[in-house]
Amino acid sequence: MGIKIRIRRVIVHLVTTCGGIRTEESTGLHISENPEQNKEVMKLAELLRSKKELLLIQGQNGMTPPESKLSLYEYVEKQSRLKRESIIYKCLPYLDRFGGRHIRLIDITPGWFEDFLERIKKDSGLKSAHTQEKYCCLVRQCLKKSRA
């Protein structure tokens, strides 16, 4: 188990290895030609790495962060209040219809999310494929933010 900082081209990534599974995600930080700025970027990357490692260790030892005790519906509702300009609140009826009120953030698996994608495409009554995809992307963004 561990998290390492990796630079690909000019973007800083965090590489997580846990239980033989390796995942890589972008931090959104960029390396420049300025060495002083790069020192600050690497300090920030190290902070992100240590925060993520702490959350990983807490999860393995059964200590869950308070946010993970929220249901998916509650978390999305909270995010919609924080971002007034976002249309995330339009996803709430679909989350409610597909069991989002009863599943905690910590219990969401890739399988559940795939099932949600299938259901929203079949059962939601949304005529536009673009709208369906937008709602799925918004829920995916909330899930990623909840785990960060």
Side-chain angles (χ1 to χ4, degrees):
M1 177 199 79
I3 299 175
K4 295 181 181 178
I5 297 172
R6 181 176 184 185
I7 300 171
R8 281 195 172 195
R9 299 191 181 152
V10 294
I11 301 172
V12 180
H13 293 264
L14 293 179
V15 179
T16 306
T17 306
C18 185
I21 298 172
R22 187 174 155 248
T23 59
E24 186 170 330
E25 65 181 301
S26 172
T27 61
L29 301 173
H30 298 276
I31 298 296
S32 69
E33 293 180 13
N34 183 350
E36 290 299 316
Q37 187 178 5
N38 289 344
K39 285 181 184 179
E40 294 299 316
V41 167
M42 291 311 290
K43 283 181 185 177
L44 188 56
E46 181 59 33
L47 265 167
L48 292 172
R49 187 203 64 78
S50 61
K51 179 182 175 187
K52 187 161 180 88
E53 190 169 48
L54 178 65
L55 289 173
L56 187 64
I57 291 169
Q58 285 177 338
Q60 286 183 338
N61 293 323
M63 301 177 336
T64 57
E67 289 251 306
S68 63
K69 294 179 183 177
L70 291 175
S71 73
L72 175 60
Y73 185 90
E74 292 168 335
Y75 185 77
V76 171
E77 189 175 42
K78 180 180 168 186
Q79 290 300 312
S80 71
R81 279 187 260 126
L82 292 175
K83 293 185 170 184
R84 295 179 190 261
E85 74 280 353
S86 177
I87 62 165
I88 189 72
Y89 67 91
K90 290 186 177 184
C91 298
L92 290 172
Y94 301 102
L95 285 173
D96 190 26
R97 190 181 312 165
F98 302 134
R101 279 193 193 262
H102 306 292
I103 188 163
R104 295 181 313 160
L105 286 172
I106 198 152
D107 297 332
I108 293 175
T109 62
W112 182 90
F113 188 72
E114 290 297 321
D115 187 40
F116 174 75
L117 294 177
E118 292 296 320
R119 291 171 120 187
I120 202 167
K121 289 179 180 176
K122 289 180 184 175
D123 303 338
S124 69
L126 294 170
K127 292 184 172 55
S128 168
H130 176 72
T131 305
Q132 294 170 354
E133 187 62 31
K134 182 70 173 174
Y135 286 4
C136 292
C137 286
L138 289 168
V139 172
R140 187 181 300 120
Q141 286 173 355
C142 276
L143 288 172
K144 282 184 178 181
K145 187 179 278 189
S146 73
R147 295 171 192 235

